[in-house]
Amino acid sequence: MWRNIKRAILGEEIDGKLPARVQDAITRQQTQSEILIAWVQVFIVVTFSTLYALSPKTFAADAMFAPVPYALMIYGLFTALRLLLAYFSKMPAWFIALSVVADMALLMFLIWSFHIQYEQPPSFYLKAPTLLYVFIFIALRALRFEATYVLLAGASAAIGWLVLLGYAVQIDGGMAQITRNYVEFTMSHKILLGAEFDKVISILVVTLILALVIVRARRLLIHSVAQATAAEDLSRFFSPEIAAQITHSESWIEPGTGESRQAAILHCDLQGFTKLSMERPANEVISLLAEYQSRMVPVIQKHGGTIDKFLGDGILATFGAAVPTAHYAADCLRAMEDLNKEAADWSRDRTAEGKTAMTVRFVSAVGAIVFGAVGDNSRLEYTVIGEPVNLAAKLDKHAKDEKATGVTTRDTLELAKAQGYTPQAQLELREGRHVDGVKGTVDLAIFRP
């Protein structure tokens, strides 16, 4: 029962120790908050200084002490130092705590100085509306999402006001100024202890409420940062489009759910990789794969393609599946042209480095596909299913027979042209080709470098 009450008040608990990357993300958020706090303080200094300069002075010209300019100057210098530290170094906890206390100390000093400035008894400053500024400074500390500094600000304000109250009561016959008459209190310099304690209680209650809000908000912040970090990590294992599908899904993703749509399928294959992988050391094989994928993947993504999966040395990409578009076929063939150029450049680079030149083949097909999640609740995978996927796989085997680095169907080419594609590469049309596993014949378009 107590745990339920605690959860209702403070929010969901944080399970276990946070990973270092999550802690780093939260630290970055807090650093940005400190910069924001420092700029707000700069704004306060500028605003107060402007108001003081423009406002008429109600105290006598021969007053023995006018502390406002000095207080603002000290506070301004301290704020400038704080702003520099916020930008150029990590502020230690003790300095942040010191700045909290300094805020309240300067404010209380300013309020205390009123009775000297206006040549009145100490009880005079107890009626200063400037006390309301403590709530600004307390609220300012909420920007960091740490309840500790909010509590410190509230405690400093409450203690500071009690000290000022004690000073007013003890100095210059202040005990004689105490009254229980509210009307007399409001119409004179009399001190009503209950009214002063009400101010302290208000400060403490507001502080506690803000601290509670911060505790709940901080837990939510940590959960949100953890989720965002997980989503960022997720995008390294999935394409950005798939990661977005997962993180922004409005309902729980269940296996067996999918959508039908028109899309283009692109398959990339590294020729001779199987044999090479059996002859070369494992590290060299993996290094070759990483080099190959680092050259091909950016080109695919540049044209709006989504990496569906890596199939050993194969790359299965889709256009218009994860994110439907009206120009999926055109994007696919533009990508094929650029991939052919990139593969030729990669082969030349390897030759110049004294390495074995590699040949990459690209095939594509278009048509109706089903895009969705397959697997079970313990292991899900977004994938594409349909005739274009099967045809692309079969064309990959056929591309070697055609002695071509790029092969697509005539239907794909015509649809791409209708969607705005203008071929830049040399294309050869080959009609009535027999492709293993495909009934009848297929009209093909062959890309030449």
Side-chain angles (χ1 to χ4, degrees):
M1 180 178 176
W2 166 244
R3 293 189 65 181
N4 291 335
I5 295 174
K6 184 179 177 182
R7 186 182 299 112
I9 296 174
L10 300 179
E12 291 293 332
E13 293 185 10
I14 301 162
D15 298 327
K17 185 179 179 180
L18 291 174
R21 66 183 187 280
V22 177
Q23 292 178 342
D24 290 341
I26 293 172
T27 300
R28 287 195 298 271
Q29 291 288 338
Q30 291 178 330
T31 299
Q32 292 173 358
S33 295
E34 284 300 329
I35 293 173
L36 177 59
I37 291 171
W39 276 114
V40 171
Q41 289 178 321
V42 169
F43 175 77
I44 290 173
V45 171
V46 172
T47 301
F48 285 1
S49 300
T50 302
L51 291 175
Y52 179 79
L54 298 177
S55 62
K57 307 301 182 290
T58 57
F59 53 86
D62 58 349
M64 61 178 292
F65 182 46
V68 175
Y70 300 101
L72 289 175
M73 182 179 65
I74 294 172
Y75 186 66
L77 291 173
F78 184 79
T79 300
L81 173 62
R82 192 178 184 286
L83 183 61
L84 289 174
L85 289 176
Y87 267 109
F88 298 109
S89 67
K90 180 181 178 181
M91 283 195 293
W94 67 264
F95 185 84
I96 298 174
L98 175 63
S99 69
V100 173
V101 175
D103 288 344
M104 294 303 175
L106 284 170
L107 182 61
M108 294 302 166
F109 171 76
L110 187 62
I111 294 173
W112 171 84
S113 68
F114 285 174
H115 81 288
I116 298 177
Q117 179 175 321
Y118 292 96
E119 300 178 345
Q120 298 293 327
S123 59
F124 172 77
Y125 60 65
L126 295 178
K127 292 180 170 54
T130 311
L131 175 65
L132 295 175
Y133 293 145
V134 301
F135 296 107
I136 296 176
F137 289 115
I138 294 172
L140 195 58
R141 296 299 163 180
L143 293 174
R144 187 181 166 87
F145 285 96
E146 280 192 86
T148 303
Y149 299 113
V150 173
L151 292 171
L152 179 60
S156 300
I159 293 172
W161 193 250
L162 288 174
V163 169
L164 291 184
L165 175 61
Y167 180 87
V169 169
Q170 296 297 325
I171 301 300
D172 296 336
M175 292 294 293
Q177 297 293 325
I178 296 176
T179 182
R180 294 185 179 181
N181 188 312
Y182 183 76
V183 174
E184 186 180 12
F185 160 71
T186 58
M187 301 298 291
S188 66
H189 294 328
K190 295 291 185 179
I191 302 172
L192 183 63
L193 294 179
E196 304 310 320
F197 290 139
D198 280 346
K199 295 175 186 177
V200 174
I201 292 171
S202 297
I203 292 171
L204 293 177
V205 170
V206 169
T207 299
L208 290 175
I209 293 174
L210 264 180
L212 178 60
V213 170
I214 292 303
V215 169
R216 292 175 62 87
R218 180 177 172 80
R219 291 188 175 188
L220 180 60
L221 171 67
I222 291 173
H223 283 298
S224 298
V225 170
Q227 291 275 352
T229 305
E232 185 177 341
D233 289 344
L234 195 65
S235 66
R236 297 178 60 206
F237 292 90
F238 298 91
S239 68
E241 296 82 6
I242 300 299
Q245 288 270 353
I246 296 171
T247 55
H248 298 141
S249 177
E250 294 184 3
S251 60
W252 185 258
I253 299 173
E254 297 286 350
T257 58
E259 300 177 55
S260 297
R261 57 189 57 160
Q262 296 290 320
I265 306 299
L266 171 67
H267 192 277
C268 311
D269 183 70
L270 192 56
Q271 183 175 304
F273 178 77
T274 302
K275 181 182 177 182
L276 182 145
S277 64
M278 298 173 64
E279 298 173 347
R280 302 294 176 87
N283 287 343
E284 185 177 336
V285 172
I286 296 299
S287 176
L288 174 64
L289 269 181
E291 186 180 337
Y292 153 64
Q293 291 163 352
S294 69
R295 302 286 292 247
M296 301 300 112
V297 170
V299 177
I300 294 171
Q301 293 177 334
K302 170 187 171 184
H303 291 280
T306 298
I307 305 301
D308 185 82
K309 58 177 64 70
F310 295 105
L311 305 164
D313 62 310
I315 302 173
L316 180 63
T318 63
F319 295 78
V323 180
T325 68
H327 39 78
Y328 54 90
D331 290 340
C332 181
L333 295 198
R334 291 190 190 102
M336 281 186 68
E337 286 189 358
D338 284 355
L339 285 167
N340 263 305
K341 294 176 184 176
E342 184 66 25
D345 291 342
W346 180 44
S347 184
R348 284 193 293 269
D349 291 344
R350 287 184 61 84
T351 301
E353 294 170 5
K355 299 177 182 178
T356 304
M358 304 301 298
T359 300
V360 187
R361 293 192 301 269
F362 309 97
V363 297
S364 62
V366 298
I369 57 94
V370 175
F371 174 76
V374 296
D376 65 12
N377 285 325
S378 63
R379 173 67 169 84
L380 291 176
E381 180 179 292
Y382 268 109
T383 192
V384 286
I385 302 169
E387 181 59 27
V389 183
N390 298 330
L391 180 56
K394 292 164 184 174
L395 285 178
D396 179 58
K397 296 178 181 178
H398 187 74
K400 187 175 181 180
D401 297 335
E402 297 289 347
K403 296 181 174 56
T405 56
V407 176
T408 189
T409 66
R410 186 170 188 169
D411 291 342
T412 303
L413 176 60
E414 290 177 352
L415 179 60
K417 287 180 177 179
Q419 294 176 357
Y421 167 66
T422 301
Q424 302 297 316
Q426 297 179 18
L427 293 177
E428 298 177 8
L429 294 178
R430 298 185 181 179
E431 299 180 353
R433 292 299 188 182
H434 291 278
V435 178
D436 291 343
V438 178
K439 292 182 180 181
T441 60
V442 183
D443 294 340
L444 302 178
I446 306 299
F447 284 75
R448 290 301 182 192

